[in-house]
Amino acid sequence: LHTTAATGTGNSQYNGVISLPTNYTGSTYELRDMTRGSGGSFGNNVVTNMAHASTTSTATGTLYTDADNTWGDGANYVEGSSTTAANGETAAVDAMFGMVKSWDFYKNVFGRNGIDGNGTATYSRVHISNSYDNAFWSDSCFCMTYGDGSSFTTLTALDVAGHEMSHGVCARTANLTYSGESGGLNESNSDIFGTMIEFYARGGSGSTIGSTGGNWTIGEQLSATPLRYMYKPSLDGSSPDAWSSTVGNLDVHYSSGPMNRCFYFLSQGATTSGNTSTTYLPSGMTGIGNDAAARIWFRALTTYMTSSTNYAGARTASINAAKDLYGAGSAQEQAVWNAFHGINVGA
Ligand code: ASN
Ligand code: ZN
């Protein structure tokens, strides 16, 4: 029986000391969120320990429990990539925080009830494999999974968690095929919402790159070098800044670059020092801010995009979404035109 919602304290790796939704069983505390979601594999959103099982394991893992409801304290605080000592609670603390903030973002900003819109509970599996430098969403388990990292620290940073959970949302909406241009848009969708979730949880004006609030890089807490740079994707050495007819041949984590930059322009404009588009953008386009940009992208994704949507289609979808939300001829609609023009898509 598990019916007594409680609030624990978590010593996280990436998010400071935080409150955690837990459950008191009568004898111990579980890392089980009694306040978001229902059904699914565990009946609630939970975090489980994979204890270094293979990345192909379909096991659900062992639910985390803790006697005193303070998580990641003392010997249970285990950071980083040690394969021998990495079953600690720290990764679980950050994974739960990522689920909570992602869930609340979709609910409170868009009114979406969870990943599938029906409130079906999800879960997060931590400590997969050994020194594994990745995290992933799986539709089969309706869950996300995190490695301990080797070049990277444990993969449970907030923008990465938001990225993975947003793969689940995409799968239940536009379901963008994970190759070609639609694959790049699928990856960009996860980067866009991973970043919006970071801003949602941490605040910040949105205009400061690398600030203590949200920021426009992905995975910057995992190593000295971010995984991706939304404001200028080419800084990763592999992603293009603008669309071209060959972008669909790239790995989806690179073909995402132009859409990431487009979304950055839409929100922030092209005038932020050092990040101005010199190639296509009409100088001085004004951004419409995170809130409007995120609403337009969410409506485009959930109302207009399909599994085969390409960059041209994403432009049309976003223009339609902006018209629906803010009116034909609105500044928001014009900003969508400008932002796509800024990545060489459309006039
Ligand atoms: N972390 C990666 C991602 O979510 C895993 C993958 O390549 N699908 O994009
Ligand atoms: Zn991804």
Side-chain angles (χ1 to χ4, degrees):
L1 232 93
H2 37 80
T3 53
T4 312
T7 302
T9 299
N11 296 287
S12 80
Q13 183 168 358
Y14 300 114
N15 298 291
V17 179
I18 54 190
S19 280
L20 290 175
T22 61
N23 176 55
Y24 186 57
T25 66
S27 56
T28 192
Y29 293 88
E30 300 174 326
L31 200 45
R32 175 191 293 277
D33 183 350
M34 305 300 285
T35 61
R36 296 170 186 80
S38 62
S41 294
F42 287 88
N44 307 97
N45 295 347
V46 304
V47 183
T48 66
N49 182 6
M50 292 302 280
H52 313 294
S54 156
T55 54
T56 58
S57 171
T58 56
T60 52
T62 306
L63 179 62
Y64 270 92
T65 60
D66 185 277
D68 67 359
N69 210 20
T70 297
W71 301 75
D73 53 333
N76 283 322
Y77 190 86
V78 182
E79 270 192 21
S81 55
S82 160
T83 55
T84 53
N87 283 328
E89 292 174 352
T90 314
V93 168
D94 286 287
M96 178 55 94
F97 188 75
M99 273 194 301
V100 165
K101 292 301 176 183
S102 301
W103 191 281
D104 286 353
F105 168 78
Y106 281 106
K107 185 75 170 53
N108 296 339
V109 178
F110 306 127
R112 183 177 183 81
N113 186 14
I115 293 164
D116 64 358
N118 291 319
T120 302
T122 182
Y123 62 106
S124 294
R125 311 188 303 173
V126 299
H127 302 309
I128 195 77
S129 190
N130 290 295
S131 306
Y132 184 60
D133 265 326
N134 215 335
F136 56 93
W137 167 264
S138 165
D139 285 326
S140 349
C141 64
F142 203 70
C143 77
M144 59 219 103
T145 305
Y146 298 92
D148 295 327
S150 159
S151 323
F152 301 128
T153 50
T154 307
L155 276 282
T156 49
L158 181 59
D159 54 0
V160 175
H163 174 111
E164 301 311 340
M165 202 154 127
S166 296
H167 275 308
V169 173
C170 179
R172 294 305 185 111
T173 54
N175 196 23
L176 291 156
T177 300
Y178 207 55
S179 62
E181 289 196 20
S182 60
L185 296 174
N186 183 321
E187 263 306 301
S188 179
N189 175 68
S190 276
D191 283 349
I192 287 169
F193 285 132
T195 292
M196 292 300 99
I197 288 161
E198 196 180 59
F199 276 112
Y200 176 77
R202 296 180 181 173
S205 66
S207 61
T208 309
I209 294 158
S211 70
T212 53
N215 56 66
W216 294 92
T217 52
I218 303 294
E220 70 284 343
Q221 288 187 290
L222 305 180
S223 77
T225 309
L227 284 165
R228 288 182 289 279
Y229 303 78
M230 297 184 72
Y231 60 94
K232 192 171 185 185
S234 59
L235 291 176
D236 69 8
S238 302
S239 298
D241 288 333
W243 178 89
S244 73
S245 61
T246 57
V247 76
N249 300 333
L250 299 172
D251 180 277
V252 292
H253 301 87
Y254 304 142
S255 53
S256 54
M259 191 61 234
N260 280 353
R261 184 159 158 98
C262 178
F263 186 86
Y264 171 81
F265 286 151
L266 181 62
S267 171
Q268 299 300 307
T271 55
T272 303
S273 173
N275 305 296
T276 305
S277 170
T278 51
T279 314
Y280 303 105
L281 203 74
S283 63
M285 90 158 266
T286 304
I288 60 176
N290 283 344
D291 187 82
R295 286 177 197 283
I296 289 169
W297 181 255
F298 181 78
R299 183 164 178 83
L301 179 82
T302 55
T303 304
Y304 293 111
M305 293 189 208
T306 66
S307 57
S308 62
T309 295
N310 61 11
Y311 267 85
R315 173 178 177 273
T316 306
S318 300
I319 290 170
N320 287 336
K323 284 180 177 167
D324 294 345
L325 292 168
Y326 300 103
S330 59
Q332 290 87 345
E333 187 208 339
Q334 187 58 53
V336 172
W337 285 63
N338 285 340
F340 275 92
H341 183 64
I343 60 162
N344 193 30
V345 178

